[in-house]
Amino acid sequence: MSNNSESTKLKNSTYNVLSALGKEADFLYSTVNKFIQDAQNDGNTKLVELWNEIKQDKQRHLAKLIECLKEEAKNE
């Protein structure tokens, strides 16, 4: 039995990638669009631009984390 649990155990670094991936995805898919909408509703174009810039940065981070996770999976 310990052999099975050893083969399914995540390395800390892999867990960290998964954790960061979840946080980035949560922000992208449930938070940032609301922030953009609120800024639009307030007529604050500077904030709309800022939130869109942050959204683009987070999308790049998410893509990098996905690639990293793919590499981690190959090495497990």
Side-chain angles (χ1 to χ4, degrees):
M1 276 242 214
S2 67
N3 195 10
N4 270 347
S5 65
E6 287 297 316
S7 66
T8 59
K9 186 176 178 181
L10 286 176
K11 294 185 285 185
N12 285 339
S13 58
T14 304
Y15 173 82
N16 294 341
V17 170
L18 283 169
S19 179
L21 188 69
K23 290 175 185 175
E24 294 288 339
D26 183 52
F27 182 79
L28 272 172
Y29 299 111
S30 66
T31 305
V32 75
N33 288 331
K34 176 163 180 11
F35 291 175
I36 293 168
Q37 185 65 49
D38 288 347
Q40 287 172 336
N41 291 344
D42 291 341
N44 193 330
T45 56
K46 281 188 174 186
L47 275 180
V48 170
E49 290 172 10
L50 175 64
W51 287 121
N52 277 314
E53 182 181 334
I54 290 170
K55 181 178 180 178
Q56 290 172 351
D57 289 346
K58 295 287 187 181
Q59 288 169 329
R60 283 191 295 274
H61 295 167
L62 190 64
K64 286 181 178 184
L65 287 165
I66 289 169
E67 285 305 311
C68 184
L69 186 60
K70 286 178 184 178
E71 287 299 315
E72 287 292 313
K74 287 179 189 176
N75 296 327
E76 286 291 320

